Amino acid sequence: MRPARALIDLDALRSNYRLARELGGGKAVAVIKADAYGHGAVRCARALQAEADAFGVACIEEALELRAAGITGPILLLEGFFDASELPLIVQHDLWFAVGAPWQVEAVAAFQTTATLNVWLKLDSGMHRLGLWPDEFRAAHATLSALAHVGPMVLMTHMARADELDSPRTREQADVFAATIDGLAGQTSLCNSPALLGWPDVRSDWVRPGLMLYGINPMPAHTALTGRLRPVMSMRSKIFAVRDIAVGEPVGYGARFVAQRPTRVGVVALGYADGYPQFAPNGTPVRIDDQPGIVIGRVSMDMLTVDLTHLPQAGIGSTVTLWGDAPRIEALAPLCGVSAYQLPCGVKRVVREYVDV
Ligand SMILES: *Cc1c(COP(=O)(O)O)cnc(C)c1O
């Protein structure tokens, strides 16, 4: 069997969730959209089920997958519904949902139901993607509050630049939010992972950690809390071929690596079709049987090559860790010109193995 594996440490996931909740000081929506950023939404939800205050997903399809798997707790549709025809399903499956566009407000107002809807009313405080403008927000709050089928709302907004610790924008967005909700009833929800990790004075009743649940700090330069985040995914495979090449000989497509000394090359069963960055440069760190190693040559679709010259004990069957405790995704992603979010989200084909201690 092909040895490519993504090991998923569910205890680390729980530990990161607790850290997020501790930093937030209130309740936390565990954001497990996009198949839990590539970690497997159902397994992650089950692991967190006993303690998560709610789960966050991108769409009703993701929510229904969780319900079908027996997840009974609150699930928030972070982008609300894409069509008013989803509202009966939202009621049927008891989902919470964001409302962040005027047409969604109208659809909720026009919807007839005996159920009580759990609405997270979203303000555009400066990101300019989703959310109502401040005046629209206050009007929508009045409209929806007056409806018998809308329960107490949560007032939310989303930060655009919380990963930039020297930008005034997060503070400005928080100020716009505070001014807009002044006097309005409802709990609040502000923080994604970068806001939680980088902005300790921006707080709300509910936080919405995503990336940090998986043990990844979205701000690579911001190391203060990285040590408390435990990487959840360890991407691994094995060496299944080895060869020695002479000085001047190339390795792989495009001869991007050329040996400057006699070089022992290991071939690893994992490539860009598994989610490893195709343009990882020569010298990108890996671990080989827990020793430091590097990628040499261009990453292929199903394979990549590593330098074994300094590791005479390593060979066929050696385990290569592409990311995990080392190298960490925070360090790897910038070397490869991708974001830390992209790497786990892009994982496919590899077998996910869950470790739950
Ligand atoms: C994805 C998402 C989050 C989580 O963001 P991270 O940066 O991964 O923590 C929080 N809130 C909303 C509305 C989102 O869409």
Side-chain angles (χ1 to χ4, degrees):
M1 236 186 3
R2 188 163 183 263
R5 293 283 179 279
L7 268 65
I8 312 287
D9 179 347
L10 296 172
D11 194 53
L13 177 74
R14 284 187 289 265
S15 160
N16 297 329
Y17 178 78
R18 286 176 205 138
L19 175 62
R21 215 227 254 94
E22 176 196 320
L23 293 175
K27 288 179 278 189
V29 179
V31 178
I32 55 169
K33 63 190 176 188
D35 207 19
Y37 295 42
H39 295 69
V42 167
R43 295 297 302 265
C44 289
R46 283 193 189 132
L48 289 171
Q49 174 149 246
E51 51 196 303
D53 301 306
F55 293 109
V57 296
C59 56
I60 197 161
E61 290 84 350
E62 293 181 345
L64 296 184
E65 184 195 3
L66 296 175
R67 286 284 184 254
I71 303 298
T72 54
I75 301 177
L76 169 64
L77 306 177
L78 291 162
E79 290 152 47
F81 48 88
F82 297 89
D83 190 286
S85 64
E86 293 168 33
L87 282 165
L89 271 178
I90 284 175
V91 168
Q92 186 188 333
H93 294 279
D94 197 14
L95 305 175
W96 300 357
F97 60 98
V99 166
W103 73 266
Q104 289 176 327
V105 177
E106 288 163 26
V108 170
F111 182 55
Q112 298 196 342
T113 178
T114 54
T116 306
L117 304 178
N118 187 310
V119 171
W120 288 47
L121 194 60
K122 185 165 185 175
L123 173 71
D124 179 357
S125 58
M127 180 150 180
H128 303 334
R129 188 181 60 179
L130 288 179
L132 303 165
W133 295 112
D135 53 340
E136 282 177 342
F137 183 91
R138 293 189 66 93
H141 189 275
T143 304
L144 297 179
S145 300
L147 298 172
H149 65 278
V150 174
M153 283 177 277
V154 177
L155 316 179
M156 74 183 283
T157 195
H158 195 49
M159 298 298 183
R161 299 180 66 180
D163 56 338
E164 298 171 53
L165 295 177
D166 50 2
S167 163
R169 192 60 172 170
T170 299
R171 169 66 42 214
E172 288 166 12
Q173 283 197 250
D175 290 346
V176 169
F177 182 76
T180 306
I181 69 162
D182 187 39
L184 299 183
Q187 295 189 331
T188 55
S189 176
L190 291 182
C191 297
N192 54 2
S193 299
L196 261 172
L197 292 165
W199 297 84
D201 53 341
V202 174
R203 285 299 175 257
S204 53
D205 298 307
W206 286 87
V207 294
R208 306 187 307 269
L211 193 69
M212 68 174 288
L213 293 182
Y214 310 101
I216 306 165
N217 188 336
M219 295 163 286
H222 173 258
T223 51
L225 286 161
T226 303
R228 294 188 66 193
L229 292 171
R230 288 171 53 192
V232 172
M233 184 189 290
S234 178
M235 183 78 146
R236 297 187 190 172
S237 193
K238 291 194 169 171
I239 292 174
F240 71 106
V242 175
R243 71 192 58 242
D244 290 289
I245 61 168
V247 172
E249 289 298 322
V251 175
Y253 289 118
R256 198 192 61 187
F257 174 86
V258 176
Q260 305 295 308
R261 53 173 187 180
T263 298
R264 191 156 165 264
V265 181
V267 184
V268 183
L270 196 137
Y272 64 79
D274 302 295
Y276 193 79
Q278 182 176 12
F279 298 109
N282 294 331
T284 299
V286 297
R287 301 288 291 185
I288 302 170
D289 284 343
D290 231 6
Q291 303 294 313
I294 57 167
V295 171
I296 53 174
R298 195 189 286 172
V299 174
S300 304
M301 187 181 286
D302 314 314
M303 290 172 268
L304 58 85
T305 37
V306 295
D307 191 346
L308 297 180
T309 313
H310 64 298
L311 297 170
Q313 273 84 22
I316 307 288
S318 288
T319 295
V320 178
T321 302
L322 290 316
W323 67 68
D325 287 328
R328 286 185 68 138
I329 280 184
E330 293 92 337
L332 178 66
L335 290 177
C336 301
V338 298
S339 85
Y341 288 82
Q342 245 178 303
L343 287 180
C345 287
V347 171
K348 50 190 184 305
R349 190 168 66 181
V350 303
V351 176
R352 284 194 293 238
E353 261 177 24
Y354 292 87
V355 184
D356 198 354
V357 286

